[in-house]
Structure formats: C-alpha cells, structure tokens
Amino acid sequence: MAGYLVSDTRKVTTHRFIEMKQRGEKISMLTSYDFTTAGIVDGAGIDGILVGDSASNVMAGNSTTLPMTVEQMIYHARSVVRGVKRALVVCDMPFGSYQVDRKEGVKNAVRIMKESGCDALKLEGGSEIVDTIKGILDAGIPVMGHLGLTPQSINKFGTYTVRAKEEAEAAKLLSDARMLAEAGCFGVVLEKVPAELASRVSAEISIPTIGIGAGNGTDGQILVVDDMLGMSKGFNPRFLRRYADLHGVMTDAIGQYITDVKSMDFPNEKESY
C-alpha cells in the first residue's frame, strides 16, 4: 500500500538517500522504538526511521541516553524492523559500544546488524572515531554520522545548549563533516547547531545532512516521534513542532474507559459472550 504522500513503494536504501540530496528532494525521518509505532510511521510514507538511543529517555525514563546497552538497542531495532516495509531503518550504536577501540566497535556493529536486521548504524562523533567508522564500513555496514550536540557526550558538554556557536568548534564541525563524507558515511545528523553553519555544511559535503534544531538548510529533518505527536509533556525545545496532542487524546480516551467501567456501561450486551 502506498503511503500518505508516497507512490513509490520500493525499499529506501542508503543510495537513495544520496540520490534524494542530488535531486534536491528533502528527506523525512522520525524515530521509532516499537513494532506498532514503526508500522504507522512507515505506512505514512516516511523515508527513514531512526531507532534512537533516545529510547533511554522516551521508553525507559532515564535522564540521559548513556544507560542504553547493545542488547537493548538490538531489542528495539528488531521490533521496529518487523513493522517496516519501505523506510530505511538506522539504529544507534549506544554509548560504550564503539568508543573504546576500533576492534570492539566493529564487533558490536556486526552484532547489531546481524541480530536486529536494520539497514544501517549511526555513531556520534567526528575525527575521534573516524578510524572505527572506517572499520565498520570495511565490514560492509553503512554508517550515518552525528555531529553538533552529541547526547552521549552530555557529561563532557554539561549542557544541552546549541553547539558550534564559537568559531573553533564550528571549524571542527565542518572539518569532521568533510572527514565523515570522505570516509564513506552515507549521511550525517546535525543536532542543535546554528542554521547558517548547517547550511554551509550541507552545501560543502556530498552526503545528505539530517537536521534536528539545525534550521531549514539541511537535506532532511528528524524529530523524536513521541515529541512531534505530543505524547510527551514538559519538553519544549525551540526546534520542536507538535503535529498532534496525543497526550490529550489518550488521557480523554482512558478517562472515558474508566468512567464506563465504573458505571457498568462497559462491557455492554453486544460486547459480552
């Protein structure tokens, strides 16, 4: 079945991401962490789904992404893959699974791909991890980079504020983006960086840039699905647009169910055997 705005039902690949950039077609991405949500997101016609380590916050209630394990990411990614027919499924490599050394990074990457069935992996960082990225690419695994605000490094940053506002950090981000493209990554997420810098990076590298809080000059956009659907409360970053109020819809529905149970309206005669 064709999606909401999609007539082309062919499986989206990393190569097609690059083709989309080349012809100026914007790339749409959202996160998903479970079978049911992934099926809805995919059916609507999304280009890419990120199984983010943001599952740590959204699904598990942790304050950072750091507690996520390889096993937990495989569980979420496998669940998502089962629900997806068309979208490119990218899985985050969690904190500690690739920062130690190249050999361990490649070993964990192979395991995640093998056990989850996802299409590609995403790693946070630039020059510090480029050797590991090359090793993963050499193993035949597509890699998406992630620069700017990298949540796995939150304890180093000490804040979730916008990154690369200063000249030195902006220059490093641009250099890292070029390095990731040259290494063979098929795309890079730019998180919470000035729009002007994100536009410059997008113009200067051949691979697609996917922005979150990086303005409109990137080659695509990504949001956390629970945030854009309005399921979460109290998280109101400037870059977030809420497309629904599912928190309100769900609360009203559950409230009505409670009322019907207590008044003995549910189940009625037709709903009984």
Side-chain angles (χ1 to χ4, degrees):
M1 185 183 75
Y4 179 59
L5 292 173
V6 176
S7 56
D8 185 352
T9 56
R10 291 177 304 157
K11 172 72 179 174
V12 179
T13 63
T14 56
H15 182 65
R16 285 182 66 190
F17 261 43
I18 293 169
E19 285 181 335
M20 289 168 80
K21 176 182 174 108
Q22 288 170 346
R23 65 173 177 262
E25 180 185 348
K26 296 293 186 181
I27 299 165
S28 61
M29 290 191 73
L30 285 169
T31 65
S32 291
Y33 315 101
D34 66 272
F35 170 82
T36 304
T37 306
I40 295 169
V41 170
D42 183 57
I46 206 79
D47 298 312
I49 290 176
L50 173 67
V51 186
D53 58 2
S54 45
S56 180
N57 312 92
V58 177
M59 304 300 288
N62 295 315
S63 59
T64 72
T65 63
L66 273 61
M68 290 304 284
T69 64
V70 168
E71 289 76 16
Q72 288 168 328
M73 290 307 304
I74 289 170
Y75 168 81
H76 285 292
R78 191 188 291 144
S79 302
V80 166
V81 167
R82 288 192 189 115
V84 172
K85 291 184 172 69
R86 178 182 176 273
L88 181 80
V89 179
V90 183
C91 181
D92 267 336
M93 289 194 71
F95 177 70
S97 67
Y98 60 92
Q99 288 92 344
V100 178
D101 60 39
R102 173 177 172 142
K103 185 178 178 182
E104 188 175 0
V106 174
K107 183 180 176 183
N108 284 320
V110 169
R111 184 185 169 197
I112 294 170
M113 291 293 288
K114 197 178 182 73
E115 295 184 29
S116 72
C118 67
D119 301 311
L121 301 177
K122 181 169 75 63
L123 285 71
E124 295 183 7
S127 57
E128 309 82 8
I129 60 156
V130 75
D131 188 50
T132 299
I133 286 174
K134 286 176 180 175
I136 294 170
L137 289 164
D138 286 345
I141 298 170
V143 174
M144 176 175 266
H146 184 151
L147 300 172
L149 175 65
T150 47
Q152 290 179 10
S153 302
I154 188 57
N155 290 329
K156 182 177 79 171
F157 294 147
T159 173
Y160 284 102
T161 192
V162 175
R163 304 306 310 175
K165 288 191 289 186
E166 304 300 324
E167 199 173 319
E169 193 177 347
K172 183 182 185 315
L173 188 143
L174 187 57
S175 169
D176 281 345
R178 290 188 188 122
M179 196 178 296
L180 293 176
E182 286 164 14
C185 290
F186 73 90
V188 58
V189 170
L190 300 177
E191 180 168 357
K192 284 189 92 169
V193 299
E196 190 178 340
L197 174 62
S199 293
R200 185 181 171 193
V201 171
S202 304
E204 290 194 18
I205 63 173
S206 58
I207 60 173
T209 57
I210 308 296
I212 177 165
N216 208 17
T218 52
D219 300 303
Q221 300 292 334
I222 186 166
L223 287 173
V224 170
V225 69
D226 300 68
D227 295 339
M228 63 82 69
L229 289 175
M231 290 177 75
S232 53
K233 288 280 187 183
F235 180 65
N236 298 297
R238 181 172 174 174
F239 63 77
L240 174 61
R241 182 183 294 182
R242 285 194 167 87
Y243 285 81
D245 177 22
L246 288 200
H247 190 283
V249 171
M250 292 170 75
T251 302
D252 288 347
I254 293 163
Q256 187 61 56
Y257 167 74
I258 295 165
T259 300
D260 291 352
V261 169
K262 291 187 179 293
S263 67
M264 294 180 66
D265 181 71
F266 176 80
N268 61 29
E269 205 173 309
K270 288 182 179 177
E271 293 158 337
S272 303
Y273 294 97

